[in-house]
């Protein structure tokens, strides 16, 4: 059985077009995994929020949208860097770091 040159060419094209559709090389942790990691450390998202002087549901915002301060609080509680939990928020698809800037508290 022989494979025609046309078949080989179209197979290569399909593979190359599929590779451009690949997701980010490193995926963000699933929110349930983040919550489970907090539970393994003996805390909850609500408790961590309250300990940080925030409303009990405030830190849950970091699970669904970028928020450097919240990401840092959660990562510190788990014992990893925020970029390890949310690589898509801290690195481009090419692996270049994305700079995050946190605002300081207002001075009195």
């Amino acid at each position: 059985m022989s494979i025609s040159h046309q078949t080989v060419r179209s197979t290569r094209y399909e593979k190359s077009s599929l590779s451009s559709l690949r997701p980010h090389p490193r995926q963000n942790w699933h929110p349930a995994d983040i919550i489970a990691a907090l539970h393994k450390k003996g805390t909850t998202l609500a408790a961590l929020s309250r300990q940080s002087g925030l409303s009990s549901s405030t830190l849950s915002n970091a699970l669904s949208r970028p928020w450097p301060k919240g990401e840092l609080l959660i990562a510190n509680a788990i014992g990893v860097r925020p970029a390890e939990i949310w690589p898509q928020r801290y690195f481009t698809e090419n692996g270049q770091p994305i700079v995050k800037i946190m605002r300081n508290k207002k001075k009195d």
Side-chain angles (χ1 to χ4, degrees):
M1 180 175 167
S2 68
I3 299 175
S4 72
H5 185 62
Q6 182 65 29
T7 304
V8 172
R9 192 178 322 154
S10 67
T11 303
R12 285 184 188 149
Y13 176 76
E14 288 171 16
K15 285 183 180 177
S16 67
S17 65
L18 289 177
S19 66
S20 66
L21 299 176
R22 262 185 293 159
H24 198 277
R26 293 198 46 211
Q27 294 293 315
N28 292 339
W29 290 15
H30 190 279
D33 294 328
I34 298 168
I35 292 167
L38 288 170
H39 284 209
K40 286 181 181 178
K41 294 291 184 173
T43 191
T44 64
L45 204 53
L48 183 58
S49 251
R50 288 189 299 268
Q51 289 168 2
S52 303
L54 304 168
S55 174
S56 61
S57 62
T58 302
L59 273 180
S60 64
N61 290 322
L63 299 179
S64 58
R65 63 182 73 79
W67 179 34
K69 178 184 176 182
E71 294 164 9
L72 184 62
L73 291 169
I74 293 168
N76 285 343
I78 294 172
V80 298
R81 293 181 350 261
E84 204 170 314
I85 300 172
W86 294 282
Q88 294 174 335
R89 296 181 187 180
Y90 288 84
F91 297 99
T92 65
E93 287 188 23
N94 299 328
Q96 298 297 317
I98 299 171
V99 177
K100 298 283 183 171
I101 299 171
M102 284 189 280
R103 292 183 293 184
N104 292 327
K105 286 185 175 181
K106 287 183 179 180
K107 293 183 180 180
D108 295 325

